[in-house]
């Protein structure tokens, strides 16, 4: 039996905890959340209330308790702490610091893409003359889920957009780049013992009339995948191999516009939307097993799965947003629809009693629902069923969710 320390209670922590227990290993979970707020703590063998940023105290505690593996799930800050702690303890970890420092910084990632001939949007500095470049995007170099992101359509909007981006950047670094209008593409890879495998290529669409950055439905189709394989896959694999991506899972994001893909960022972790659960159930790709095995054993016995068009179903991530600032009074229908459709994986961002924080020009994400079906028609049918049953009400008893009503 081995001991694993799990840092944080982010999306994916429960699945990691369950897998550690299924191996018969000893699980320790640490963060500042009380047990009732942390599903992983509720099934842990031992819990610590040590901050995930207190590396010195965690190091001493790990030595004292003969911890043999350290891991975290989706939160960048917790992952960084886990990586640093593993390196200090001389324990294996699925990502090395060189790779992490590149892919977790959008500026460095863009520079690396250019090195390998991978297209990226044109970028600017705050001192550049931008009068003829609008619209532009301003965002933190080190945050995700649209936190701190603004789309500026005129020069007067730039100062407040920069201030908002700096406010949401832990390292106080921001990116200013040309806004590329098009379809967002999300490319999922998994890595096993040094080999890199394509999992799926998905595109995102917004609700008609909503902000371009608020993607409502993300799903895969053969046409996108074939174009990606033909033009970009080899370059991206080469870049990932030379960065040292040996194990784990990664999501590469790009915008497709006028026949070209412009690459934006790469997340080298479990996705924060919970899609990794659907990918496992539908195709057998077990990202949780890969990263946990590596943290405890230094390798994994997971058998890789290569992308095969004929075996791919239609995956979907349905993201529900609100554009209303209010207090949430009640959430209805989540448990009921899961009883009818148990393969729906909900990643809840909202909770009853919460105040929504809606920035003008964007929205506040309320929940993500991932699932797999045999066809786009069945995806649309499931979305309609979700729309019919799931509601988030404000104190005026009005549903605040912006539900997807367009065509795929």
């Amino acid at each position: 039996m081995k001991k694993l320390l799990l840092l944080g209670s982010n999306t994916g922590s429960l699945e990691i905890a369950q897998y550690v227990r299924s191996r018969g290993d000893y699980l320790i979970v640490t963060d500042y959340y009380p047990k009732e707020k942390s599903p992983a703590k509720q099934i842990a063998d031992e819990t610590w209330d040590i901050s995930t940023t207190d590396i010195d105290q965690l190091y001493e505690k790990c030595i004292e308790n003969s911890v043999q593996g350290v891991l975290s799930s989706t939160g960048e800050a917790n992952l960084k702490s886990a990586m640093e702690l593993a390196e200090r303890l001389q324990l294996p970890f699925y990502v090395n610091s060189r790779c992490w420092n590149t892919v977790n910084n959008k500026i460095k990632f863009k520079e690396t893409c250019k090195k390998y001939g991978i297209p990226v949007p044109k970028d600017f500095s705050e001192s550049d003359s931008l009068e003829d470049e609008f619209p532009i995007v301003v965002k933190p170099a080190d945050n995700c889920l649209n936190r701190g992101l603004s789309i500026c359509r005129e020069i007067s909007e730039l100062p407040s957009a920069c201030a908002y981006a700096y406010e949401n950047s832990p390292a106080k670094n921001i990116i200013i780049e040309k806004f590329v209008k098009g379809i967002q593409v999300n490319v999922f890879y998994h890595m096993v013992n040094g080999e890199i495998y394509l999992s799926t290529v998905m595109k995102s669409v917004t609700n008609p009339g909503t902000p371009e950055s608020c993607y409502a439905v993300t799903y895969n189709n053969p046409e996108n995948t074939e174009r990606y394989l033909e033009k970009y896959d080899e370059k991206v694999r080469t870049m990932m191999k030379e960065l040292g991506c040996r194990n784990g899972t990664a999501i590469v994001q790009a915008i497709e516009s006028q026949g070209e893909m412009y690459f934006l960022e790469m997340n080298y972790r479990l996705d924060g939307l919970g899609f990794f659960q659907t990918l496992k159930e539908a195709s057998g790709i077990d990202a949780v097993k890969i990263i946990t095995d590596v943290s405890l054993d230094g390798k994994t016995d997971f058998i890789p799965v290569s992308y095969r068009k004929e075996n791919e179903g239609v995956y979907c991530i349905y993201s529900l947003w609100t554009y209303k600032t209010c207090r949430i009074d009640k959430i209805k229908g989540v448990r009921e629809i899961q009883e009818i459709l148990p393969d729906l994986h909900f990643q809840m961002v909202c909770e009853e009693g919460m105040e929504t924080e809606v920035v003008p020009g964007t929205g506040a994400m309320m929940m993500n629902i991932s699932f797999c079906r045999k066809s786009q028609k069945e995806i649309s049918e499931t979305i309609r069923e979700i729309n019919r049953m799931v509601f988030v009400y404000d104190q005026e008893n009005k549903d605040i969710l912006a539900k997807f009503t367009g065509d795929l």
Side-chain angles (χ1 to χ4, degrees), residues 11 51 56 64 83 145 199 232 241 243 284 370 377 398:
T11 302
S51 169
D56 290 338
E64 177 186 333
M83 179 187 67
L145 291 177
S199 305
Y232 309 104
K241 280 190 175 182
L243 283 173
S370 62
K377 180 181 178 183
K398 294 181 179 179

Side-chain angles (χ1 to χ4, degrees), residues 122-133:
K122 182 180 178 182
D123 50 78
F124 313 98
S125 70
E126 292 179 70
S127 60
D128 287 339
S129 175
L130 301 175
E131 290 288 354
D132 299 323
E133 301 292 351

Side-chain angles (χ1 to χ4, degrees), residues 316-333:
C316 179
I317 305 169
Y318 184 25
S319 300
L320 287 160
W321 300 76
T322 188
Y323 303 101
K324 184 176 183 180
T325 299
C326 64
R327 178 183 290 274
I328 295 173
D329 183 57
K330 60 184 175 182
I331 300 170
K332 180 181 177 183

